[in-house]
Amino acid sequence: MREEQPTIRIVVVDDHLIVREGLRFMLEEADEGFVLVGDAGDGASALQVVGREQPDVVLMDLRMPGMDGLETIKRIRADWPHIAVLILTTYNEDDLMIRGLQLGACGYLLKETDRATLFRAIRAAARNEMTVQPEMMSRILSYASHGASSPSLSAIPSSRKETDLTERELEVLTGLVQGERNKEIALRLGVAERTVRAHLSTIYMKLNVDSRAQAVAHALQHGLIPPHPF
């Protein structure tokens, strides 16, 4: 007997009606416990829908007329930090990936992603887990390590000393960048999961962030991890 999936309430934000309708059909036909509770074609409308419906996960495009996806993510995370935002976009741009994570998105997927990967990402987002495809994270790491020219990156100094992270905390942070779960980090380091959780709390405090995704974005921007930890 198949185990029943918990219901995940979703809002889709995209300026193309055909994309919104396509995702609606996909989610409603999935039989995965997904419920599309609303959609919006721009950032301003998205804030109204999200505020009214209080979904578990928002699927967010980045390039929209008026208020773009990045500004919308910023406002959603400021007003409703319990709502997960998963970027789903056509544009494969490294700077946008990092800026989206920095603003609090829990992951970044391309619209060409297959159904199974999208569904896994939605469930991970609902559990407040970070979700970035490994090949995309590798590109982001390479991009960050070569010194991006974007003002959002270059204006921030790179120094491990500024954060005062211990070597063990840096090892845990590297695990986050690799997409490891707490259990996997604990196994690799030979410690208990509760120890990893304690390290994460300290890392968040030292980096002044409140999520795994923001910790990863901060690490990339400030050069806190080796360029190629994979």
Side-chain angles (χ1 to χ4, degrees), residues 162-211:
E162 289 181 359
T163 60
D164 196 31
L165 293 179
T166 66
E167 287 301 316
R168 179 46 58 93
E169 288 164 355
L170 287 170
E171 291 174 336
V172 172
L173 185 58
T174 299
L176 295 189
V177 172
Q178 293 174 323
E180 294 179 341
R181 297 183 179 183
N182 291 358
K183 182 177 182 180
E184 294 167 330
I185 296 174
L187 182 63
R188 175 169 56 82
L189 298 181
V191 299
E193 281 191 65
R194 64 177 179 274
T195 302
V196 173
R197 289 194 294 269
H199 284 311
L200 286 175
S201 296
T202 303
I203 290 169
Y204 292 171
M205 180 185 66
K206 289 183 176 180
L207 301 185
N208 193 28
V209 300
D210 58 14
S211 72

Side-chain angles (χ1 to χ4, degrees), residues 27 35 43 50 73 75 102 122 155 158-159 173 185-186 191 195 202-203 215 223 226 230:
L27 294 171
V35 178
V50 171
I73 292 170
R75 297 196 186 190
Q102 178 191 16
I122 291 173
S158 297
S159 174
L173 185 58
I185 296 174
V191 299
T195 302
T202 303
I203 290 169
F230 294 90

Side-chain angles (χ1 to χ4, degrees), residues 132-144:
V132 177
Q133 293 161 292
E135 63 273 19
M136 295 177 72
M137 182 58 79
S138 295
R139 288 182 44 248
I140 296 172
L141 286 168
S142 177
Y143 173 74

Side-chain angles (χ1 to χ4, degrees), residues 98-99 102 144 152-153 156-158 216-224:
I98 295 177
R99 290 170 64 194
Q102 178 191 16
S152 65
L153 301 178
I156 303 175
S158 297
V216 169
H218 187 104
L220 294 173
Q221 292 169 334
H222 290 72
L224 300 182

Side-chain angles (χ1 to χ4, degrees), residues 17-142:
L17 177 61
I18 191 170
V19 173
R20 300 200 304 273
E21 290 300 318
L23 285 169
R24 177 184 294 277
F25 177 80
M26 184 186 301
L27 294 171
E28 290 178 348
E29 294 296 313
D31 191 26
E32 296 279 345
F34 302 140
V35 178
L36 186 61
V37 297
D39 64 83
D42 59 77
S45 299
L47 294 180
Q48 295 179 2
V49 174
V50 171
R52 181 179 69 245
E53 299 296 341
Q54 293 293 294
D56 300 301
V57 178
V58 177
L59 299 181
M60 178 70 67
D61 192 16
L62 292 182
R63 295 186 181 275
M64 298 181 291
M67 185 186 302
D68 66 11
L70 291 175
E71 179 63 23
T72 309
I73 292 170
K74 179 180 178 180
R75 297 196 186 190
I76 290 175
R77 295 296 298 167
D79 292 341
W80 308 289
H82 60 285
I83 296 177
V85 181
L86 180 61
I87 296 171
L88 187 62
T89 184
T90 304
Y91 300 94
N92 198 3
E93 300 180 38
D94 301 328
D95 183 47
L96 289 180
M97 295 183 202
I98 295 177
R99 290 170 64 194
L101 295 177
Q102 178 191 16
L103 291 171
C106 65
Y108 191 111
L109 294 174
L110 297 179
K111 290 178 182 176
E112 62 191 40
T113 299
D114 61 80
R115 286 163 50 102
T117 300
L118 174 61
F119 294 165
R120 285 196 300 271
I122 291 173
R123 286 191 288 269
R127 296 191 299 266
N128 197 32
E129 296 177 2
M130 182 178 171
T131 172
V132 177
Q133 293 161 292
E135 63 273 19
M136 295 177 72
M137 182 58 79
S138 295
R139 288 182 44 248
I140 296 172
L141 286 168
S142 177

